[in-house]
Amino acid sequence: MGRGRKNILFLLVVLGSLCGIRRAAAQSTAVRPVSSTRSVASAEPFTAAEKKELQRREDSLQQFADKIVNGETPEQRFRADSQFVRSLVRTLRLPHSFYYPFDSLETISRLYAPDSSFRILTWQFKKDDFLYLQEGAIQMNQPDGSLKLLPLFDASMFTARPLDSIRSRRNWIGAIYYKMIVKTYQGRKYYTLLGFDDFSQTSNKKWMEVLTFSPEGEPQFGGPYFSFLDDSVRKRVQYRFNIEYKKEALTRFNYDPDMDMVIFDHLVPEGDEPGKKDTYIPDGDFEAFQWKEGRWVHIEKQLFNFKLKDGQFPMEAKMLDDQGNLDEQKLLEQSQKNEQKKDAAKPPVKPPKSGQ
């Protein structure tokens, strides 16, 4: 069942709690480093006291973050989400928090830009089987260590045409991001995000989104970046791209640095109803996107005619890599824990330590 039956009133309440990020971010512009004993040559920008304080606050954040996913009731998960948001903003106000990885927050994706200009934090809140809300914020890397935080508001359930619009952080198409690729064209940087969306009761989505920044520093999601002009049947240029597939299916959608392509499974319906995306599964073929002159150009499976050797396909990263990034499959498994808890006789399933 899709998002049409989501509780919109409840969503507005949740979005109201997220406004706390916006208010705190606006207040944070006056925050400045308070320590004058930090060594400029030091590899770690924290004093011992600052690091200890960050670690103390991380312990509290970890408890809230875990309950957002694993709380047994909607009330517990909602309360944990509100507490997490407030505590996160207070913690990020500490000087140079940008460099602190928050490694223990296993249910929160923390993805750094390859050029270290910003990081994006994303997670999801589940009210029930029909409402999954993605949440997030972009933390900019400020030279003086102060906080510049840009909250993201998931508005994907309010649009029937998510593939043909440029969006701001106030009407973001939500996803939990697991990979970022930076490309440059005519002197401008384009950050491509790959993300997971626990879309509905019967299907998941994976998104490919291009993020840029305006001259004023505002994030802009989407644009005419996805070209299908080389396909045998041409389609309109899209502003973002996704695949939707059966809940239980395992799909690959990742960047291969050796091929310099984003490669993903070609999907087909299990039965004879191509309109039902929740029946789509991989058929063993692949499609791809390749960056050419400021666009991602689609490569059909008919043209994608080379074979991958064993181990060559871009595997998902470990659940928690050296930069603190989450594996998308781990996120899926964590979101399913609540379903497993319905059967009290079964112990909780421990997710694998490595990607698919």
Side-chain angles (χ1 to χ4, degrees), residues 226-229 231 233-238 241 287 298:
F226 296 90
S227 171
F228 300 85
L229 295 180
D231 285 14
V233 178
R234 292 187 177 185
K235 295 191 296 184
R236 294 176 55 187
V237 170
Q238 290 182 189
F241 178 80
E287 301 176 58
H298 182 240

Side-chain angles (χ1 to χ4, degrees), residues 100-114:
Y100 191 77
F102 297 100
D103 285 338
S104 70
L105 305 185
E106 296 187 353
T107 60
I108 310 298
S109 171
R110 305 162 316 282
L111 200 60
Y112 281 87

